[in-house]
Structure formats: structure tokens, C-alpha cells
Amino acid sequence: MPTHLSRARTLVAVLMTSAVVLAGCSAPSLSVLEWSGYDKVDFWTDFHTASPNTKVKFEFGSSDADILGKFEAGYGSTDIVHFYTGWQQFYVDEGLVQPIDTSKLKNWDKVPDSFKKMGQINGKQYFLPWDWGFTSILYNTDKVKTPITSWSALFDPAYAGHISMWDDGPGAVTVSAYIHGWDETKITPDQLATIEKEWTAQKPLNKTYWVSEFPDLCNGIASGDVWVAYDWQGCYAQTLYDGKVPVAYANPKEGRNSWVGLYGISSKTSNYELALQFLDDKLATLSCTNAVTQFYYGCANQDVMKAVTDPVLIKAFSLDDPAILQHTNFTPLVTSAQRTAWTEMWARVKAATP
Amino acid sequence: MLGRRGSLRYLAVPPFLWLILLFVAPLLLAVAISLRPDSGPINFSRPWQLSTLQYQTIIDSPSWLRLLLVSAGMAFIVATVATLLAYPIAYFLAFRARERAGLYLVLLLVPSTASFLLRVMAWKLLLGSDGAINSFLIWIGVIREPIGLLLYSQAAVILTLIYVWIPFAALPIYAALQRVNRSHLEAAADLGSGPWTRFLRVTVPLSLPGVLATFFMVFIPTVGEYVTPSLVGGTGGIMFGNLIQDFFTRAGNWSLGSAMAVIMLALTLVLVAIALRVVNLRRALA
Amino acid sequence: MTIASPVRRRSSIGIGNTRLPLGPAYAVMLVLLYLPIVLLAVFSITANTSLSFPLKNFTLAWYGDALADSSILDAARNSLVVGTAAATAATALAFAVSLAVLRFRFRGRQLLLGLSAAPLVVPFVVLGVALFLGFNLLGIPRSLLTVAAGHSVVALPYAALILLARMVGLDPALEDAAMDLGATYPTTLRRVILPLLGPSLISAWLTSFIVSFDEVALANFLAGGDPTFPVYLYGELRFAQRLPVLIAMAVMLMVATMLLTLLANRLRSSRD
């Protein structure tokens, strides 16, 4: 046994050294900090076809905060990062990203100006918008007879035990801000205390807090456990495709929320040109279309959105309603102190007995 | 020729080194992180400030500490019931299965190699409002409304955890029961004991190290459990581990998460020390 | 003291000869454990793309798809490699710890025992973050190796508890006898102790393997570009159409593990 152990130790040492060595000398490679599922080749297939020899490695984060934390702590080991609106300022303030040279992007003119602006900080184009979508209320029209017209439906005792809210403090603050007509970026401690009280009182009405759309929420809607839910349009499209449960996606009077997914290039990368090409190719027709048809998320390439003919997807993205963006609230930039306060508030809500 | 004494260093040193490098050192790093006042991402190039702000936040949130105690209570229930229910299984493996013990053991453990997530999805199919069990009970008229308790509740969490733990809980008990052999029981019979007395006064005490090992093996990690509550706990079945997980992965607040983990660690160690005092493990192990 | 007839005595103090339904208890547990597995297996051979009734027509296409899909196979292989490495390391270390703690007296004996059980108390995510930061500081790139290292630490307590529980009941006189007959200590361990530990070693190994195989929190932080199967599964579940293929692969992995451990069990008992 002792010799067995010492042999094992030598083996481990050899393996570790060779792993480190191998990591160093290899074909061109890119490292991307992504969300689960986005590593699928379909979503960067144009780049894969154009540069088949480049090895693209993906590491995963499970939330915007997680992604920022991993990117910053592992700064230098990742070339590209993918996160969602509201977090742009942190990356720029910490000097983690460098501006994107849009003159080198073939597909840049297909991106609408409003999306381009999402990725600009201090006038510089730091981020490339790629995926986007809405947040609203998804509801089962069999169980909910009157159409939902307000975010306050999430607090309605008529649906007690069948409501499902997203497990996210900032998301909860946003909903409350809409309902009360408060400015999301200027929530005072008193307002936050009210928000905490309201969501604590909502707990008995709430069946479960969902973390991921698929399979958490979509299965909940399909099984009949959840009737009313805070949701992006993914489950809306999925449920329409399944055809078993009749659902509708609300147009609340306070307005829907909209979010945009942004890609940034590390300021410490040694593969700038390669990263640029990767991002450009993501906006290309095939990669963008796959995001729409497989994820049911919108893509920043206008031509791709205009070419959508599937009636389910047209419904999901409200492509037939050009006025929708007029009363849609885009996710604003929020400070780190606010986020900390909001996530701690949410932890107290979850721990409370109402 | 390697004698017994000479072998000690090969036996004791590798585990020590392994644990110090891959466990103690990271743990100290986690404690260091918990003493940061900054709730944001870690940046080593910035000066490291020491502060007990995170611990202060925890003290200012009594609902979190209450949730920790509730979680410990749930863990206690799970550990006790799982140990009790695992004992007959272990007894069966040790004394009835004989040569087939290895086979029966493998059969018992193998379902746990299939993804937990998928297994729970399959159970949800049976336990949900439209699930098979509720549909059947409504059909035969026992209930009129679906039972909400089976899923998305604290009870669902406890039942699921017991269910998941029993195969593993049987293992240390089974290992310890192999110590009991015929001669012990024959001697007891010769002295006039009946079967139940022999069980209680010979078998059970001999298997006690295994029972204790099982109890702690189940209790300790269950205090910090988060996967099962997030899958079947719903709004009311949340445990302390969920808060820790949330602060790490959803809020990116590694400092507060580490502080909460340190508090949980401290409480668990206190509870274990109390339990060991009650049971006097040293005597059982000697 | 009366001497009852040998036959009656044998049966009345036989171990396990209780009238309690032990066999049925085991069987019930087995049924409950395999119920969801059977359900999953059923869905893996029907054309359903979601876990809901009614069942659509019978098909083996999902298994074919799974075997042809390189990303699923890679993830499965990664998990098998990591699980095997972690379980072997954890079991070997646990064996060393059990021997050292139960057969020797030395300073630090209690400490070693406590340290070996301590990873039970620490949430996986805390260890994951700490190891992530630690590896980063030391410049060690994240890879399957770092995941296996992390897993071996969290699996160690389980293996140790099982082996300790078994070894407590092992008579030290057996080792003494072997050494009196001229065997070195390593030989004694190999030819006397290891065979006696048999099923416990398998339990310890299998438990460690299971702890590693389905583990997500550590793997999320420590895996580099190669996902383990549960990490991969979680990502792929976003695509409803992928569910049946994933189930097929999960069933195949379970069957493979079962066959491998049954084989190991057969080899162990044939060597006696």
C-alpha cells in the first residue's frame, strides 16, 4: 500500500505538470465565460465554420453576479464575457474590458441603434448586444379567467398557492418599483423596507421561487402547479409549442421590462482580433437565427428578427405589435451598494415566516 | 522489511498533506474572505481590509439565524429517521444476504448514480398537482383536491432527504454489524437471553460505532443542504444552505456567503461536540 | 444449564433468524429507489419530448442520438474519469486514515480523524470558491484534475466513516499473527486486511464515486473548459427537445456503473 500511494502521488504530479504544459502550447484558442447552454455550437456556428481550428473553451456562471465575480477573480484567464443589462458600469469601472472596434465588424450595421446604445458607456462602445427579451407575466388562461393587466397580479390572493416569482432580489425590487411607480435607480431605505414587507406577505401565495426557466418554471406551468408567473418569453413560446396548456403573456399597464445580453472583450486578452471575429460571427444570420429558434430569445440582428415567420415566435416576441417598445422599461444601470442591499433584502424575505 | 511502526508515516502523512493543501488552506482563505467589508467581487490587487461587517449583517438578520436553527432541526429529524429506517436494511445485508451482500449492496446504491435532478423530475411527475398519485387518489375518491403537501413544502424536503439518504446510511451500520458473529450470540443464549434481549444487549451495542457514524454522516451535511429544498421545497421549504448558495452564486457576495458558512460551521461543530459528549464516542471507538 | 438438542439450538440463535420481515423491507426500499429510474427508462424509449403522459410511440432513437452526440459523450466520459479518480483517491486516503487512527498511537491522531471528517461540515460551494481563488493565486489552470482534487476532499469523510466502522470490528490479532509468521506490514495489509474489508471498500469507493458523479457546486467553479455530466445536463435542460437524449445517457451511465461495480464485486469474491 505505501508504494502504491507514493506511485500514485508521482503520477498525479506528472499529470498536473503535463496539464499545465499542454494548456500553454496549443492551437489558437478562445476562452468564453458564458451561461449554461450557450456553449452549444449552434450559437457560434458561423465562427466554427470560418475558423474550425480555433479551440473555444467555455466556463459557466449561473447569474450576472456570479459571472462578474468569476471574471474579476479569474481576470486574465478569460477572453470574452457574456452578461445582461444593468451590469455594464461595473466592468468598465474595474477596467476589466476594452472597447470593441466596430469598424471591423461586418454585421454591425444590422444592429438597431437602441441596442447599440445599451453597450455604450461614456460614449465608447464597450459591449456588443446579442440576445434580448421581455419580462412580463405568463398566465394560464384556463385558470385565470380575466386577463392580467398589472404587475400586482403577482400579489393577488385570487391565485393563492399558484404564483411563482423568479428567485431574484433585484427582480423583486423592479416589480415593486413598477407597481408603486417608483424610480428603480433611486430606491430609498424606506421604500426598500416596504418592498420587503410586501414580498414577505406574498409568500403564502407563492408556490415556489423558480431559478431557471427550463425546466423549473416551464414544467410548473405544464403540470398545472403554477398559474401566474414572472417570466421571460421563453416559457411562453415553449408552452405554446407544447399546445397542452393555454397561456397568455401580459401587457401590464406599468409596462413590460426588457433586457439585453451583452458581450465584452477582456482588457487583458492576447486574442483581441480573434475575439472580435467571434463576436462578429455571433451576429451572423445562422448563429443569430439559432438563438431565436432554439432559445426563444430575440437576437440583435434586425434582419434575422424581420425574417421570423413562425407564428409562435411572432407572438412570443410581440413582433406584430410595433408599439410594444413604447411602454417597455429597459433594465437600468444600478450601483453595487444597491444590489447588495437588494440581495440581502431578498434573503430576509426567503428566511421570513409571514 | 517494512515493519508496522515504519509504515505509519506512509499512512498518516499523505492524508494530512492532502487535507491541509486542499481543505485547511482553502478554508482559511474562506475565513479571510469573510472578514472583508466589500460585498463585491474579489480583486487581489486591491488592499485587503479587515472588518466584521458581514458578521454584523448576519447578527442584524435574526430570521437567518432562526432559519439556521430550523435547518438543524430538520437535519436532526432526517438523520434520526434515516438511521432508524436504514438499520433493518443493514441488518438484512449483514445477516440474511451473506454471500450475496455485495450484489445487494450494489443494487441499493446504483440508483443514486443516475442524475438526482432527473430522478426528482420523475418524482415530480408522480407527486405534482396533476401527478399520478394525486390523480389516483382523486379518482378513487379519497380526496377532492390535490394534496399540496407532497411537493413544494417543508415536509416534502424532509421526506425526500430521508429517501435519498437511506441507502448511504445503511453502509456504516452494515460495516459495523459485520463485527457481530455467532459466538457472541451463542454466549448470550447460553446465559439465558431471548432473541430480543440478545439483539438489544449484544448486537446493538456492537453496531453502535456504525450507527453513530451514520447519524453524523447524515446530520452534518444536511444542515447545509440546498439542492433538495430548491427542487421540492417551494416557498416554505427553504433551508439555510439556500441562503449561502444564493449569496455565492446569485448575489456574487462571496464575503457574506463565507461568513454565513463560518457561522453554520461553528453551530454544527457545537452541536456535534454536545452530541459526542452525550454519547462518549471515545469509549465506543476504543 | 440444560443442553438443548443441537438442531433446535442452532435455529433458535441463528443470526438474522428473526420473524421480522427484513427481506420485504429491503425489497420495498429497492422498489422506491428504482421507481423513478423505471419511469425515466420508460420515457427514454418513447417519442415524448417532455415528462408528461400520455406516452407516445416506442423508439430507440434517443439512445442512438446519445451515442452519436460527441458533446454528451465527452461530458459523460469526463464525469466517469473525474469520479473514478476522486473515488480512488478518497478511498485510498480513507483506508490510510482508518489504519493510522485505529492501529497506531501518535500525536495528532485525533486531529487526523477530525480533519478527515471535517469536509462534511463545509458546504461544497464554499470549498469551491476557496479552491477557485487558491488555484488562481497559484496559477493552476482549472481543469478536470482540479475538479477531481476537490471531489476527493468532499468524498473522503464518507469513505472514512464506512471504513472506520468496519475496521473497528476487525481484530488486530489477525495482523499480529500474520506478522509473527514473517509477513511484512505491507504484505499483511494486502493479503489479510484488504480481503477482509472487501464489501466495505466497494461501498466506500462507490459512495465516493456517487458523491463526485452528481456534484455540481464544486464542478461549476473548478472545471475549465470540459464540463462534467451534471454541469452539462443542467445547461442542456434549457432545451426541452434535448431532454430525452439526456435521459437516455443518464440511464446508460447508471447501467454502466452498475455493471462495472458488479464486475468488481465478482472479481473480489472470486479471489477469495
Side-chain angles (χ1 to χ4, degrees):
Chain A
M1 185 54 83
T3 32
H4 188 128
L5 273 179
S6 63
R7 249 188 253 138
R9 267 181 292 154
T10 330
L11 184 61
V12 169
V14 168
L15 280 175
M16 288 207 68
T17 331
S18 38
V20 172
V21 166
L22 279 174
C25 53
S26 48
S29 74
L30 270 183
S31 165
V32 184
L33 185 53
E34 256 293 13
W35 299 72
S36 281
Y38 279 90
D39 54 318
K40 204 167 175 211
V41 172
D42 295 11
F43 304 125
W44 48 282
T45 177
D46 295 273
F47 180 78
H48 188 63
T49 324
S51 320
N53 288 328
T54 310
K55 188 170 188 324
V56 183
K57 290 189 304 171
F58 294 90
E59 291 189 48
F60 302 110
S62 47
S63 71
D64 283 310
D66 194 32
I67 295 235
L68 177 61
K70 285 179 175 161
F71 191 68
E72 183 154 1
Y75 179 56
S77 56
T78 321
D79 300 306
I80 297 174
V81 63
H82 182 196
F83 62 93
Y84 289 83
T85 35
W87 294 78
Q88 302 92 297
Q89 195 73 46
F90 301 128
Y91 287 89
V92 174
D93 285 347
E94 302 281 314
L96 298 169
V97 291
Q98 55 180 305
I100 295 182
D101 189 354
T102 57
S103 63
K104 299 211 176 109
L105 301 173
K106 300 191 298 288
N107 298 307
W108 190 240
D109 50 355
K110 305 201 184 92
V111 178
D113 284 334
S114 54
F115 282 79
K116 285 181 185 167
K117 268 226 323 254
M118 294 276 156
Q120 286 169 5
I121 297 280
N122 304 333
K124 294 213 192 92
Q125 191 74 41
Y126 278 100
F127 307 105
L128 182 122
W130 190 65
D131 50 330
W132 62 268
F134 293 110
T135 316
S136 183
I137 298 184
L138 180 68
Y139 60 100
N140 181 332
T141 46
D142 244 357
K143 315 274 190 185
V144 177
K145 301 296 185 189
T146 45
I148 287 183
T149 52
S150 162
W151 282 99
S152 53
L154 291 173
F155 295 83
D156 194 337
Y159 317 123
H162 296 282
I163 301 176
S164 184
M165 172 61 187
W166 187 34
D167 189 352
D168 191 73
V173 171
T174 304
V175 170
S176 295
Y178 289 169
I179 294 175
H180 288 280
W182 295 334
D183 182 353
E184 267 184 272
T185 58
K186 296 191 175 64
I187 301 283
T188 68
D190 281 338
Q191 290 172 331
L192 193 60
T194 310
I195 294 176
E196 181 175 336
K197 249 202 314 216
E198 287 175 356
W199 281 107
T200 306
Q202 190 262 5
K203 283 183 79 170
L205 309 175
N206 198 68
K207 185 103 192 166
T208 179
Y209 297 116
W210 62 268
V211 174
S212 63
E213 253 190 314
F214 322 87
D216 278 359
L217 182 60
C218 298
N219 278 351
I221 296 268
S223 71
D225 283 317
V226 177
W227 299 347
V228 176
Y230 171 111
D231 189 27
W232 312 313
Q233 73 283 352
C235 268
Y236 181 39
Q238 179 66 47
T239 318
L240 286 175
Y241 277 127
D242 274 347
K244 284 202 206 86
V245 176
V247 285
Y249 200 52
N251 258 333
K253 58 180 196 275
E254 303 95 349
R256 291 182 181 176
N257 163 270
S258 176
W259 43 268
V260 179
L262 302 162
Y263 278 92
I265 300 182
S266 170
S267 45
K268 214 178 176 190
T269 178
S270 44
N271 298 311
Y272 184 73
E273 297 296 330
L274 206 56
L276 213 55
Q277 194 196 331
F278 182 81
L279 295 184
D280 191 22
D281 285 341
K282 276 192 90 85
L283 284 174
T285 314
L286 200 51
S287 305
C288 233
T289 310
N290 283 335
V292 174
T293 53
Q294 295 195 33
F295 254 158
Y296 317 137
Y297 285 175
C299 193
N301 183 329
Q302 285 192 122
D303 295 348
V304 165
M305 296 312 293
K306 290 205 193 106
V308 169
T309 50
D310 186 333
V312 167
L313 291 176
I314 291 181
K315 254 181 136 172
F317 299 120
S318 298
L319 291 174
D320 46 0
D321 181 2
I324 192 80
L325 290 176
Q326 252 84 309
H327 33 260
T328 297
N329 312 299
F330 285 83
T331 310
L333 298 174
V334 169
T335 69
S336 172
Q338 284 171 316
R339 284 199 190 281
T340 306
W342 297 354
T343 48
E344 285 171 12
M345 180 276 298
W346 192 242
R348 283 193 293 272
V349 168
K350 284 176 81 170
T353 32
Chain B
M1 160 168 141
L2 200 55
R4 172 184 282 219
R5 197 67 212 174
S7 304
L8 175 60
R9 83 176 78 102
Y10 292 101
L11 291 175
V13 169
F16 254 128
L17 278 181
W18 195 262
L19 284 165
I20 289 178
L21 282 175
L22 292 174
F23 178 66
V24 178
L27 207 57
L28 291 174
L29 194 54
V31 174
I33 296 172
S34 76
L35 293 168
R36 282 171 79 233
D38 189 353
S39 307
I42 308 257
N43 191 329
F44 285 121
S45 54
R46 275 213 221 96
W48 200 272
Q49 286 175 286
L50 277 180
S51 151
T52 54
L53 177 69
Q54 310 299 348
Y55 291 96
Q56 190 60 48
T57 310
I58 297 174
I59 294 175
D60 289 339
S61 307
S63 60
W64 295 351
L65 295 169
R66 200 190 36 85
L67 185 63
L68 177 57
L69 290 174
V70 167
S71 304
M74 286 170 75
F76 182 80
I77 295 175
V78 171
T80 312
V81 178
T83 308
L84 284 173
L85 291 181
Y87 202 99
I89 309 278
Y91 196 89
F92 170 79
L93 286 173
F95 300 129
R96 285 277 182 80
R98 283 176 244 271
E99 327 80 45
R100 297 261 196 85
L103 167 69
Y104 287 169
L105 208 135
V106 167
L107 282 181
L108 194 66
L109 288 175
V110 150
S112 306
T113 59
S115 159
F116 183 60
L117 190 53
L118 290 178
R119 282 189 295 152
V120 172
M121 281 174 72
W123 269 117
K124 277 186 177 178
L125 190 61
L126 296 173
L127 297 173
S129 296
D130 283 354
I133 295 183
N134 270 316
S135 305
F136 176 69
L137 289 175
I138 292 180
W139 180 62
I140 62 172
V142 172
I143 53 173
R144 223 166 298 140
E145 287 289 327
I147 305 177
L149 211 66
L150 291 175
L151 200 55
Y152 300 128
S153 69
Q154 206 177 54
V157 174
I158 293 180
L159 285 173
T160 308
L161 283 171
I162 293 173
Y163 165 77
V164 166
W165 271 113
I166 288 181
F168 299 102
L171 300 177
I173 303 177
Y174 164 62
L177 278 173
Q178 294 181 294
R179 193 175 169 190
V180 178
N181 60 43
R182 188 171 234 103
S183 55
H184 294 127
L185 297 172
E186 278 183 2
D190 285 345
L191 293 167
S193 331
W196 266 112
T197 324
R198 285 198 299 272
F199 175 70
L200 286 172
R201 305 192 92 197
V202 177
T203 311
V204 168
L206 283 176
S207 64
L208 207 55
V211 171
L212 290 171
T214 288
F215 180 82
F216 288 115
M217 179 179 84
V218 177
F219 175 75
I220 295 174
T222 306
V223 176
E225 173 73 28
Y226 74 93
V227 178
T228 305
S230 72
L231 289 177
V232 303
T235 316
I238 290 174
M239 290 176 76
F240 193 74
N242 292 100
L243 295 186
I244 297 183
Q245 186 72 13
D246 283 352
F247 278 122
F248 272 106
T249 59
R250 301 202 59 78
N253 194 341
W254 295 355
S255 306
L256 185 52
S258 299
M260 292 182 81
V262 167
I263 302 265
M264 188 178 83
L265 206 144
L267 176 76
T268 312
L269 287 176
V270 164
L271 290 174
V272 168
I274 294 176
L276 286 178
R277 185 60 59 85
V278 167
V279 148
N280 204 333
L281 183 70
R282 252 176 243 162
R283 212 179 325 134
L285 257 190
Chain C
M1 184 172 68
T2 56
I3 300 173
S5 81
V7 172
R8 207 187 84 195
R9 191 138 167 272
R10 212 178 356 256
S11 66
S12 70
I13 55 158
I15 305 177
N17 272 4
T18 147
R19 258 177 254 130
L20 292 172
L22 292 174
Y26 175 80
V28 165
M29 190 69 227
L30 224 52
V31 165
L32 285 176
L33 285 174
Y34 280 91
L35 194 53
I37 309 284
V38 166
L39 259 181
L40 289 174
V42 163
F43 277 102
S44 74
I45 52 173
T46 57
N48 292 58
T49 52
S50 68
L51 280 187
S52 58
F53 294 104
L55 295 174
K56 300 199 190 125
N57 38 312
F58 172 85
T59 172
L60 284 175
W62 306 124
Y63 284 92
D65 288 347
L67 289 170
D69 186 331
S70 64
S71 59
I72 269 196
L73 288 173
D74 282 345
R77 183 209 58 210
N78 290 342
S79 270
L80 285 171
V81 166
V82 167
T84 306
T88 310
T91 309
L93 289 168
F95 179 70
V97 168
S98 314
L99 271 177
V101 162
L102 289 178
R103 292 286 183 267
F104 295 83
R105 295 226 174 289
F106 57 98
R107 253 184 11 213
R109 181 171 162 257
Q110 299 279 39
L111 181 63
L112 183 59
L113 181 59
L115 267 184
S116 303
L120 272 180
V121 205
V122 180
F124 291 1
V125 70
V126 178
L127 195 59
V129 166
L131 283 171
F132 175 88
L133 289 170
F135 285 138
N136 230 57
L137 271 173
L138 296 172
I140 300 177
R142 295 179 287 285
S143 67
L144 293 180
L145 211 57
T146 47
V147 182
H151 282 175
S152 71
V153 171
V154 296
L156 179 58
Y158 297 96
L161 281 172
I162 292 171
L163 289 177
L164 276 168
R166 176 69 184 104
M167 246 190 255
V168 162
L170 220 52
D171 195 345
L174 290 163
E175 295 158 56
D176 292 337
M179 291 186 68
D180 283 343
L181 290 169
T184 63
Y185 195 55
T187 314
T188 312
L189 290 179
R190 194 163 43 90
R191 304 189 79 195
V192 177
I193 303 299
L194 280 185
L196 280 172
L197 284 180
S200 297
L201 276 175
I202 292 185
S203 320
W205 193 94
L206 198 47
T207 306
S208 307
F209 182 82
I210 289 171
V211 167
S212 161
F213 203 64
D214 211 14
E215 201 283 324
V216 175
L218 271 169
N220 253 324
F221 276 98
L222 298 180
D226 303 303
T228 56
F229 187 67
V231 171
Y232 178 82
L233 178 75
Y234 188 76
E236 288 291 294
L237 279 176
R238 303 196 62 174
F239 309 100
Q241 318 91 296
R242 293 283 279 167
L243 184 63
V245 183
L246 295 169
I247 294 179
M249 183 45 105
V251 171
M252 278 196 286
L253 283 171
M254 193 197 75
V255 171
T257 315
M258 170 158 27
L259 292 174
L260 280 171
T261 28
L262 284 177
L263 185 67
N265 193 45
R266 181 60 60 85
L267 285 173
R268 176 196 63 84
S269 49
S270 70
R271 217 191 303 146
D272 285 337

